[in-house]
Amino acid sequence: MTEADSTHVNAAELLSLALRHLDDADTRRPFTEIPTLDDSTAVPFRPFPALAIVMAGHVLSAWEVRTFQVERAKRDERIRFFTATGGKPRRVFRACTLFDPELGTQRIIELCGHASCTNKAPASPGSRCADHLGDPVPDTCDPAYWLHRAGEAARSAERDRGGLTETETLAVHAARAGLPMAEVRRATEINEWAVHALNGESATVPEGVDGCDDPAHWPLVLTPVRDITAADVHHVYDLLEGVSAEPAANRVLARKDRWYRYEPLREDGPFLVYAEGEHCFTLGWWQIQDHLPEHLLARYADERRRREMYEPPCQCGYCNH
């Protein structure tokens, strides 16, 4: 099952041996010893049949490799970490076993492929968590390989939740299941009115009122108190290319008293301003505050100006604008 003086375990041989030991009188009794990668202790990994079957089966079916290694096996640690290298592209796989007391069985959790990291793998086996996106990538892969994999997984999870957070999704499904709103609020810490809003429950819009009348559809607008140049802002982007731009420091990006659309990238900033010449740039919240005149670069528009700049979606039927 293991070569002499080797930590590598043949998964198929371990699986076969563990299956034979399922008929033992005491199936909770360890049936073999496996050296580990942990240099701090000489304690070997001593699995019982069911645990070995779960681990070996995962290595063979999910990772599709023949051998694996056990990272560590401390006496008081119920979680077992194991690893292997393989796949296409060739990469490091890592996972751990976790006992589920409700099911009474062992579960496998895929882990970030970075050595000793205990974060979950965000995407496929061997993918890197947010802390290790800069790790070396597999041969022939793009330098941003780990970032792209994590990004795809994050977008997929968000789509599955309809753009809601996990807690919001839980609250919505609980409300739809008819559970008492007091219990939903206690479990999720989301107010009842917010759950109703997330659930799409709204009052019927009166006749004669349409989306054009809704301020939520009007663009957010601001106007500079003076010409804003590239030297005044932290980041400048090329809208056409979608990448960072480096215009000359004296390049005017937004002119005094003109109106420009913006959007908050987070609730408290930064704010992305759509500027002159197919450029956009970011402003910090302190640069749009009247009570901080020494930092003030722009002021918010009032609702009248926002309404004037609103362009209803085209209804021609031939375009998406």
Side-chain angles (χ1 to χ4, degrees):
M1 188 177 64
T2 60
E3 299 177 6
D5 300 323
S6 174
T7 57
H8 290 272
V9 182
N10 185 302
E13 293 180 6
L14 177 63
L15 179 61
S16 177
L17 181 61
L19 289 171
R20 291 199 297 270
H21 280 276
L22 281 179
D23 293 329
D24 291 352
D26 183 2
T27 56
R28 299 292 299 178
R29 183 183 181 86
F31 68 96
T32 189
E33 293 187 351
I34 300 173
T36 72
L37 295 173
D38 187 2
D39 294 332
S40 66
T41 177
V43 177
F45 174 47
R46 305 177 68 237
F48 52 88
L51 179 57
I53 289 170
V54 170
M55 294 173 66
H58 188 81
V59 170
L60 294 169
S61 61
W63 295 351
E64 297 183 334
V65 296
R66 300 288 296 178
T67 64
F68 71 100
Q69 296 170 288
V70 178
E71 292 185 349
R72 64 179 189 261
K74 296 180 180 178
R75 292 187 184 279
D76 298 329
E77 193 171 58
R78 298 293 300 274
I79 301 175
R80 306 301 185 184
F81 298 85
F82 57 105
T83 184
T85 302
K88 294 182 180 179
R90 188 173 177 83
R91 59 197 185 278
V92 175
F93 301 116
R94 295 183 63 250
C96 69
T97 62
L98 187 65
F99 181 71
D100 188 327
E102 293 185 1
L103 298 177
T105 59
Q106 297 284 338
R107 290 194 297 123
I108 299 293
I109 307 296
E110 290 287 354
L111 299 176
C112 167
H114 186 91
S116 301
C117 180
T118 56
N119 293 331
K120 290 184 180 179
S124 58
S127 58
R128 298 302 196 266
C129 69
D131 292 338
H132 300 113
L133 296 177
D135 277 9
V137 301
D139 291 342
T140 74
C141 290
D142 182 272
Y145 177 77
W146 299 128
L147 174 61
H148 293 319
R149 301 305 298 273
E152 291 170 4
R155 292 196 303 273
S156 177
E158 193 168 83
R159 284 195 298 270
D160 291 343
R161 295 195 303 264
L164 304 179
T165 66
E166 291 187 30
T167 306
E168 289 170 343
T169 302
L170 176 64
V172 167
H173 283 285
R176 290 175 181 173
L179 293 171
M181 290 306 300
E183 296 302 325
V184 175
R185 184 176 65 252
R186 185 175 296 112
T188 64
E189 297 185 351
I190 298 178
N191 290 325
E192 182 173 343
W193 63 266
V195 176
H196 288 310
L198 293 171
N199 212 7
E201 301 175 17
S202 59
T204 303
V205 179
E207 291 185 12
V209 175
D210 59 26
C212 297
D213 298 299
D214 186 355
H217 293 170
W218 302 343
L220 296 172
V221 183
L222 53 72
T223 182
V225 298
R226 62 171 175 82
D227 286 355
I228 298 177
T229 68
D232 296 317
V233 299
H234 192 52
H235 290 297
V236 182
Y237 304 96
D238 185 315
L239 279 173
L240 295 179
E241 299 294 333
V243 297
S244 296
E246 297 182 0
N250 62 352
R251 171 73 176 273
V252 176
L253 301 175
R255 299 192 179 277
K256 179 183 178 182
D257 295 334
R258 289 189 184 179
W259 297 97
Y260 299 92
R261 292 188 304 110
Y262 77 93
E263 61 180 88
L265 301 182
R266 291 192 296 272
E267 184 177 356
D268 57 351
F271 303 95
L272 185 69
V273 182
Y274 295 90
E276 305 278 344
E278 305 298 342
H279 284 95
C280 58
F281 60 87
T282 56
L283 292 178
W285 62 265
W286 60 90
Q287 296 173 304
I288 322 177
Q289 303 297 323
D290 284 323
H291 70 283
L292 299 172
E294 67 275 22
H295 302 290
L296 183 66
L297 288 181
R299 289 192 174 94
Y300 299 112
D302 58 21
E303 286 201 346
R304 179 186 62 80
R305 177 62 64 177
R306 292 179 57 212
R307 184 175 64 250
E308 289 174 353
M309 294 187 66
Y310 175 61
E311 296 180 9
C314 180
Q315 301 296 324
C316 71
Y318 296 101
C319 66
N320 296 321
H321 303 288

